[in-house]
Amino acid sequence: DIQMTQSPSSLSASVGDRVTITCRASQGISNYLAWYQQKPGKVPKLLIYAASTLQSGVPSRFSGSGSGTDFTLTISSLQPEDVATYYCQKYNSAPPPFGQGTKVEIK
Amino acid sequence: EVQLVESGGGLVKPGGSLRLSCAASGFTFSSYSMNWVRQAPGKGLEWVSSISSSSSYIYYADSVKGRFTISRDNAKNSLYLQMNSLRAEDTAVYYCARGFWSGLLFDYWGQGTLVTVSS
């Protein structure tokens, strides 16, 4: 089975900073990569799919890129409401594993 | 508005059984794959099981294969998860999630129901 590995596991940045999270698949998955945001105590929310397509209603400061095995989620200007744990997930076939998560905090 | 409402969680002893339900509304339930995803306390997300729109394709995580059974009733707009031989490591919040694209991309999630396996 394909494994998804995220880095870093946590980060702390200042409001307005550019934040980048990396996700690596153990085998190529084309662009079948999604990113989810889970705010503390809340339900996960789909942010990005097909590696770079923003889900409806997601702010444009979020962007995704990559293909094959290496992917990134970028927040261009970190906002207080972006404090959350972010998960990547591959979804082209079962099983669809998640990465272990990246916790983003405000410095 | 898409709504997914889980129920059936609770406290159960190791080796026991529990049946979770997910009531769907606001979309054509019979046209979508549906999934269960769980999250142990303080841990990450773990996909559990998936069922296609007509129940033709069913998948399970290795961690629950042989113990859990996913099913759906399109006439009742409902998804189910029968959980048998429960273990302490099954303790988690269980989310119902709608699948699209491949059926394994989760665009809407319920609020979750907590399952606690403890003696």
Side-chain angles (χ1 to χ4, degrees), chain A residues 36 38 43 49 89 91 93 96, chain B residues 39 47 101-102 104 106 109-110:
Chain A
Y36 298 85
Q38 187 176 30
V43 175
Y49 62 96
Q89 181 224 0
Y91 61 89
S93 62
Chain B
Q39 187 169 36
W47 168 80
W101 203 295
S102 60
L104 299 172
F106 314 131
W109 299 62

Side-chain angles (χ1 to χ4, degrees), chain A residues 1 32 34 36 38 42-46 48-50 55 87 89-96 98-100, chain B residues 35 37 39 43-47 59-62 95 100-112:
Chain A
D1 291 346
Y32 292 99
Y36 298 85
Q38 187 176 30
K42 300 297 185 182
V43 175
K45 170 188 172 183
L46 176 63
I48 289 171
Y49 62 96
Q55 177 70 334
Y87 297 91
Q89 181 224 0
K90 76 99 172 171
Y91 61 89
N92 56 321
S93 62
F98 293 89
Q100 77 276 22
Chain B
N35 300 266
V37 178
Q39 187 169 36
K43 302 297 184 182
L45 301 171
E46 180 188 16
W47 168 80
Y59 305 100
Y60 297 99
D62 286 345
Y95 296 103
F100 82 111
W101 203 295
S102 60
L104 299 172
L105 176 60
F106 314 131
D107 61 346
Y108 286 93
W109 299 62
Q111 290 299 309

Side-chain angles (χ1 to χ4, degrees), chain A residues 8 10-21 75-80 82-83 103-107:
Chain A
S10 66
L11 66 89
S12 182
S14 300
V15 172
D17 281 356
R18 183 181 184 88
V19 168
T20 298
I21 299 168
I75 308 173
S76 61
S77 177
L78 186 67
Q79 300 302 305
D82 300 334
V83 168
K103 187 174 185 178
V104 174
E105 298 176 320
I106 301 290
K107 194 181 293 182

Side-chain angles (χ1 to χ4, degrees), chain A residues 62-81:
Chain A
F62 290 92
S63 65
S65 65
S67 183
T69 59
D70 294 311
F71 303 88
T72 59
L73 171 68
T74 300
I75 308 173
S76 61
S77 177
L78 186 67
Q79 300 302 305
E81 60 266 32

